[in-house]
């Protein structure tokens, strides 16, 4: 049901050629949206000129690496999430075991989808369509796409297992529906020929688990209707957008498709409206990829789906916050694989980031330093992996700009000051990780994924942290529960901060830095705010 909060108009609304939020805007989007089979910015596998590695339009090295991993999967059991693994969250706090089984199933399907696309029409290609169908079917049969740590089934129904009649739309459900939409777009013709009826099952499950809950329940915390907007917002909205564009393709679904897209746009507008103009992410670099980056990707998909008519990334009109956040990764770079880690972020993320997505956003918003930073991390055969999600993998494999541009050096600004989060990074020389780099954090202790770390200091030598922030351990039920700050890594005593008379920092916005005045040399810094 439409509510006043669902008619939010923020910085995106001010830059887009659309009516105000609501039914009139949905109708305008309906007139602009490309047909479902053309709405996603990746060629289907039937376009052999784009998917045959021999024709040079594909990132062949990465495709070969993915197919090799898919070959190793054949004949082995698929990962099998169980009731007992799902219930462990409530018994011993272990959420990771079940999540890794779910992720393993999804990643295997992504590998198989790439193998099927590359080999379509060749002898033996049907084995890959069989592998894809097996993966799709298992996801459709899986009782829930929601991760147990997010499900509200116990609160609402007293159950430690998901309630299939009341699905919860979380990050996991978004990831699955997005993956199924990309598979459908990529391999729909082949699946129709070999597995008639499978695509109808996908649409049934997508509607029951995602589309209807998205439209029916407007109390999802990640919508940000209460002002608390965080990285779940663009992560889920981006996947819902992909699903609506591709899977709502029925004869009478056009208006509903446009309504979902309109609500997604409002949700993304709410997220961008909460980004500071300097683009800083208080959760830190590692979370940028699953927050701001996902917003940039979703807006890029929307630009394609409307034939460029609704384009918030156009360099001439994109909001300052979007332009600022594209620069955030290289401003947090210490050197090599190391970054300033804040809150729950990692100093050296264990998954390869989707560098192509940053490169694309940098080109769209006109930031050559951000583009150079992405290119500096491109590695043949490892520049895109299934761990990033199928959509990111497919876009990297088929992005001609990403493949054709020469490598570059990371910009490594001499100093960056981000006033919104009170983070300073300074090094001896621009473009050179040699020597010492200093990072200092102000802020407050109510930030997203907060650690009690106001005033913390990180020092890197030749780009490698030597005075460090320990980061966080594997997530458990305790991580986001009432006992979060009993975990040692969340306490100020385990950060490089001063303690007066042995008094540790408290939780909350009241525990904050005051009278912060950065002394900047003025070289390459982000806009100072003292």
């Amino acid at each position: 049901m439409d509510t006043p909060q669902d008619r939010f108009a923020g910085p995106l609304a001010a830059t887009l050629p659309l009516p105000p939020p609501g039914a009139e805007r949905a109708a305008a989007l309906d007139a602009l949206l490309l047909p479902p089979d053309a709405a996603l910015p990746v060629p289907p596998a039937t376009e052999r000129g784009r998917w045959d590695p021999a024709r040079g339009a594909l990132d062949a090295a990465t495709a070969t690496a993915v197919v090799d991993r898919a070959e190793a999967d054949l004949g082995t059991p698929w990962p099998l999430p169980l009731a007992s693994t799902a219930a462990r969250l409530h018994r011993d706090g272990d959420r990771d075991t079940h999540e890794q089984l779910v992720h393993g199933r999804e990643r295997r399907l992504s590998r198989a989808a790439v193998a099927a696309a590359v080999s379509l029409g060749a002898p033996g290609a049907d084995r890959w369509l069989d592998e894809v169908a097996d993966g799709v079917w298992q996801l459709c049969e899986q009782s829930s796409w929601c991760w147990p740590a997010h499900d509200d089934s116990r609160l609402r129904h007293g159950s430690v297992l998901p309630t299939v009649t009341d699905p919860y739309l979380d990050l996991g459900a978004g990831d699955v529906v997005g993956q199924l939409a990309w598979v459908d777009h990529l391999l729909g013709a082949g699946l129709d020929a070999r597995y008639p009826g499978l695509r109808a099952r996908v649409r049934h499950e997508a509607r029951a688990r995602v589309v209807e809950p998205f439209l029916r329940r407007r109390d999802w915390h990640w919508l940000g209707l209460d002002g608390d907007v965080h990285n779940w917002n663009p992560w889920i909205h981006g996947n819902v957008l992909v699903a609506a564009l591709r899977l709502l393709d029925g004869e009478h679904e056009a208006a509903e498709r446009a309504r979902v897209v309109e609500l997604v746009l409002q949700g993304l507008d709410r997220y961008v409206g909460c980004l500071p103009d300097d683009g800083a992410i208080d959760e830190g670099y590692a979370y940028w990829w699953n927050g701001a980056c996902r917003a940039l990707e979703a807006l890029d998909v929307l630009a394609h789906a409307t034939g460029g008519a609704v384009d918030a990334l156009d360099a001439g009109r994109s909001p300052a916050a979007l332009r600022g956040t594209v620069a955030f990764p290289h401003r947090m770079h210490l050197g090599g694989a190391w970054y300033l880690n804040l809150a729950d972020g990692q100093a050296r993320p264990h998954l390869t980031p989707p560098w192509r997505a940053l490169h694309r956003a940098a080109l769209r918003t006109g930031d050559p330093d951000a583009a150079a930073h992405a290119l500096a991390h491109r590695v043949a055969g490892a520049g895109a992996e299934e761990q990033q999600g199928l959509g990111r993998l497919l876009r990297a494999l088929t992005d001609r700009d990403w493949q054709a541009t020469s490598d570059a050096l990371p910009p490594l600004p001499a100093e960056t000051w981000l006033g919104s989060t009170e983070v300073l990074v300074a090094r001896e020389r621009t473009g050179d990780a040699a020597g010492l780099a200093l990072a200092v954090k102000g802020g407050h202790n109510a930030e997203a994924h907060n650690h009690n770390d106001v005033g913390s200091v990180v020092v890197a030598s030749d780009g490698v942290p030597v005075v460090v922030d320990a980061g966080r351990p594997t997530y458990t039920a305790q991580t986001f529960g009432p006992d979060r700050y009993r975990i040692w890594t969340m306490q100020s005593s385990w950060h490089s901060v001063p303690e007066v008379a042995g008094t540790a920092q408290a939780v909350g916005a009241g525990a904050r830095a005051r009278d912060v005045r950065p002394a900047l040399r003025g070289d390459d810094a982000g806009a100072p705010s003292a």
Side-chain angles (χ1 to χ4, degrees):
M1 181 179 296
D2 186 42
T3 68
Q5 292 89 347
D6 280 333
R7 294 191 289 274
F8 176 84
L12 296 183
T15 63
L16 297 177
L18 289 171
E24 188 179 350
R25 179 192 277 184
L29 283 168
D30 185 20
L32 292 172
L33 290 174
L34 297 178
D37 61 358
L40 297 184
V42 166
T46 49
E47 293 187 20
R48 299 314 299 158
R50 298 289 302 277
W51 279 101
D52 185 345
R55 301 192 190 185
L58 191 71
D59 180 349
T62 297
T64 297
V66 173
V67 173
D68 286 346
R69 293 193 290 272
E71 291 275 5
D73 293 331
L74 292 175
T76 66
W78 283 75
L80 183 61
L82 298 169
S84 57
T85 60
R88 283 193 65 177
L89 172 82
H90 303 286
R91 292 175 177 159
D92 62 13
D94 180 351
R95 59 179 282 181
D96 192 60
T97 297
H98 185 83
E99 287 178 15
Q100 292 307 317
L101 289 168
V102 170
H103 296 334
R105 176 177 279 184
E106 295 164 9
R107 291 165 183 171
R108 179 166 173 171
L109 173 56
S110 291
R111 293 190 288 269
V114 171
V118 170
S119 63
L120 191 69
D126 285 348
R127 63 175 179 157
W128 293 119
L129 285 174
D130 292 343
E131 179 86 345
V132 168
D134 285 344
V136 168
W137 185 254
Q138 287 182 79
L139 289 178
C140 290
E141 291 287 293
Q142 193 171 297
S143 292
S144 175
W145 295 342
C146 173
W147 301 342
H150 300 156
D151 205 335
D152 62 358
S153 184
R154 189 165 197 179
L155 177 66
R156 288 164 67 94
H157 305 286
S159 174
V160 298
L161 298 174
T163 301
V164 297
T165 54
D166 188 15
Y168 193 90
L169 178 50
D170 76 325
L171 303 177
D175 278 350
V176 172
V177 80
Q179 179 180 36
L180 292 175
W182 284 111
V183 169
D184 186 274
H185 174 75
L186 182 69
L187 299 166
L191 291 173
D192 270 344
R194 191 161 177 83
Y195 287 92
L198 182 60
R199 297 175 73 195
R201 175 68 186 279
V202 167
R203 282 156 175 74
H204 168 79
E205 299 296 343
R207 171 170 290 282
R209 302 180 192 224
V210 173
V211 175
E212 290 180 356
F214 178 71
L215 292 171
R216 181 180 70 250
R217 283 186 62 177
R218 304 305 293 166
D219 63 343
W220 304 110
H221 70 85
W222 46 266
L223 293 175
L225 297 177
D226 59 356
D228 181 17
V229 187
H230 49 79
N231 72 308
W232 282 39
N233 175 303
W235 190 336
I236 297 175
H237 277 117
N239 278 313
V240 171
L241 173 66
V242 168
L245 290 173
R246 174 60 267 190
L247 299 179
L248 293 181
D249 58 354
E251 183 179 352
H252 304 293
E253 291 181 324
E256 183 181 41
R257 179 178 182 241
R259 174 59 176 154
V260 172
V261 172
E262 201 269 329
L263 285 174
V264 165
L265 181 55
Q266 288 187 46
L268 294 172
D269 200 1
R270 198 172 290 112
Y271 177 81
V272 175
C274 289
L275 281 179
D277 283 354
D278 61 19
I281 303 297
D282 58 3
E283 297 161 297
Y285 163 83
Y287 275 86
W288 183 89
W289 298 100
N290 281 325
C293 184
R294 289 189 180 270
L296 294 165
E297 291 172 284
L299 292 170
D300 191 46
V301 168
L302 184 60
H304 171 87
T306 58
V310 180
D311 187 359
L313 299 185
D314 180 85
R317 66 185 181 192
S318 57
L322 289 181
R323 298 193 304 273
T325 206
V326 170
F328 184 73
H330 74 258
R331 288 175 171 172
M332 295 296 100
H333 189 203
L334 297 177
W338 296 97
Y339 290 79
L340 174 61
N341 62 306
L342 303 173
D344 279 346
Q346 299 134 327
R348 188 167 61 179
H350 66 283
L351 298 179
T352 302
W355 293 112
R356 185 225 64 95
L358 172 59
H359 182 256
R360 172 74 175 173
L363 293 184
R364 297 294 320 286
T365 57
D367 189 331
D369 283 345
H373 181 70
L375 289 168
H377 291 78
R378 181 172 57 182
V379 178
E385 298 175 354
E386 57 273 19
Q387 287 88 340
Q388 300 167 1
L390 181 57
R392 285 173 161 176
L393 176 58
L394 296 179
R395 296 211 67 187
L397 287 169
T398 57
D399 186 331
R400 289 169 169 162
D401 289 331
W402 177 240
Q403 297 156 28
T405 312
S406 60
D407 292 340
L409 296 174
L412 293 168
E415 55 184 10
T416 291
W417 167 248
L418 299 175
S420 65
T421 53
E422 297 180 343
V423 170
L424 172 69
V425 180
R427 58 176 49 84
E428 296 181 25
R429 292 169 297 278
T430 298
D432 189 357
L436 293 179
L438 169 70
V440 183
K441 176 190 179 298
H444 59 83
N445 282 335
E447 295 168 340
H449 287 260
N450 176 66
H451 292 197
N452 290 339
D453 60 355
V454 174
S456 62
V457 175
V458 170
V459 177
S461 176
D462 296 338
V464 180
V466 291
V467 176
V468 306
D469 182 318
R472 53 89 174 169
T474 300
Y475 284 162
T476 67
Q478 183 183 2
T479 308
F480 300 105
D483 294 329
R484 174 179 175 86
Y485 291 96
R486 296 183 66 179
I487 302 172
W488 69 270
T489 58
M490 313 301 181
Q491 302 168 16
S492 63
S493 299
W494 296 93
H495 290 78
S496 54
V497 302
E499 286 195 353
V500 179
T503 302
Q505 291 184 21
V507 179
R512 63 185 306 114
R514 290 176 173 83
D515 299 323
V516 178
R517 293 183 174 87
L520 303 176
R521 292 170 293 178
D523 299 333
D524 306 313
S529 176

